[in-house]
Amino acid sequence: MKVQIASRFAFSFDQPASALLQFEAAELPEQTVHSVSSIVSPTLHLSRVTAQDNIGYRIWLHGHGRIEVDYSATITPNRVLHPLPDLAALPLYNLPADTVKYLLDSRYCQADEFQGLVASEFGESTGGARIDAIRQWIADNFDYVPGASDTSTDATESFIKRQGICRDYAHVLITLARASSIPARYVACYAPGVAPQDFHAVAEVFLADPSGKGGRWQLVDATGMADPANTVKIGVGRDAADVSFVTSFAPMQFHLSKVDVTIGT
């Protein structure tokens, strides 16, 4: 099933400054890019660099004044999905090297603080069943409240407040997964059904492949709004700091953001 994406955002710099953008759907075996249009206002410099884990691209931009980005694409997700409770955890000593960083604390996900909690709250479950229990616990105990958090809010604060947006839900699930010794990373994505529609965030956990050969990343949306079958990845990282659609390295004025994601034919 094809997913139609249209996003537009604008920001400005008073003086020449640099920013790192990441808004384009990644070209991956699990999602086919049929068509794409990516337009950025003329700037002093624009170049693409490979993003985290070689998933997608970031765009280096240097410019000043108002800068607008207009992006559209048609994508068909075709990833292999498995019910979470059916998936086992891999022994830590069998984890691939590139997953190890997703076991460790990061800027917004201080997992070490939650090891006691996951042992007491979810101690009877393991692997995908543990992740499914965490996902359900978040769904039962958190309220989706736009404006309840900002760019400084980490998983610990979200856990205390029990509210937030997709970014915060993803951070809490990632934190509790890592505290359970299951690699977990942050996924910036587009997904139909998200309300209010915007750039979306979900988690991805590394669990044993049902074939018995190694492991596989599995998408999990703690908000329950995005269907993994129709989710389009932009990029991945340790947390939101790695995959913001705009990371500015100077004072910036943000003007608008509009995202529309629908199921097409």
Side-chain angles (χ1 to χ4, degrees):
M1 190 172 294
K2 292 181 180 178
V3 177
Q4 307 284 351
I5 300 165
S7 65
R8 181 171 174 259
F9 57 94
F11 56 93
S12 63
F13 294 116
D14 292 334
Q15 298 179 352
S18 295
L20 196 59
L21 312 182
Q22 191 168 2
F23 60 88
E24 298 173 325
E27 294 193 28
L28 298 167
E30 66 192 75
Q31 56 190 42
T32 302
V33 179
H34 299 289
S35 62
V36 61
S37 173
S38 189
I39 302 172
V40 182
S41 299
T43 60
L44 299 174
H45 174 83
L46 198 71
S47 61
R48 280 181 170 78
V49 293
T50 304
Q52 182 101 343
D53 290 0
N54 293 314
I55 294 177
Y57 288 90
R58 296 177 174 127
I59 296 176
W60 271 119
L61 175 150
H62 188 73
H64 65 93
R66 184 181 176 95
I67 298 168
E68 296 190 5
V69 177
D70 198 337
Y71 173 75
S72 61
T74 301
I75 317 287
T76 298
N78 45 42
R79 62 183 51 90
V80 177
L81 300 172
H82 301 283
L84 279 174
D86 295 347
L87 303 177
L90 281 172
L92 291 176
Y93 54 82
N94 280 342
L95 288 173
D98 59 0
T99 67
V100 174
K101 61 180 174 287
Y102 297 117
L103 287 170
L104 307 178
D105 284 359
S106 60
R107 176 177 174 181
Y108 293 110
C109 301
Q110 300 295 316
D112 285 353
E113 300 176 4
F114 290 88
Q115 290 177 353
L117 175 99
V118 296
S120 61
E121 187 73 32
F122 309 107
E124 295 182 0
S125 59
T126 60
R130 167 75 64 93
I131 297 300
D132 199 43
I134 290 171
R135 180 202 57 76
Q136 188 59 54
W137 185 89
I138 294 172
D140 292 342
N141 290 278
F142 278 62
D143 293 319
Y144 195 92
V145 182
S149 61
D150 57 32
T151 56
S152 69
T153 304
D154 63 11
T156 301
E157 184 177 349
S158 297
F159 180 85
I160 293 169
K161 290 183 176 180
R162 304 290 170 92
Q163 61 183 14
I165 58 173
C166 59
R167 173 185 187 274
D168 309 302
Y169 277 59
H171 281 157
V172 172
L173 192 147
I174 289 165
T175 299
L176 298 183
R178 291 179 187 170
S180 303
S181 297
I182 297 171
R185 64 189 185 186
Y186 185 98
V187 180
C189 60
Y190 293 108
V194 172
Q197 188 63 258
D198 205 343
F199 292 96
H200 195 50
V202 301
E204 201 168 35
V205 295
F206 194 78
L207 296 165
D209 192 300
S211 69
K213 298 180 180 179
R216 181 187 294 271
W217 288 103
Q218 302 287 336
L219 287 174
V220 187
D221 184 7
T223 72
M225 290 191 287
D227 179 355
N230 295 321
T231 297
V232 175
K233 287 184 184 178
I234 298 172
V236 304
R238 294 163 298 174
D239 53 37
D242 287 343
V243 278
S244 173
F245 68 96
V246 181
T247 301
S248 175
F249 294 88
M252 177 188 79
Q253 295 77 50
F254 195 77
H255 300 297
L256 68 91
S257 176
K258 184 176 181 181
V259 176
D260 186 35
V261 186
T262 57
I263 297 294
T265 56

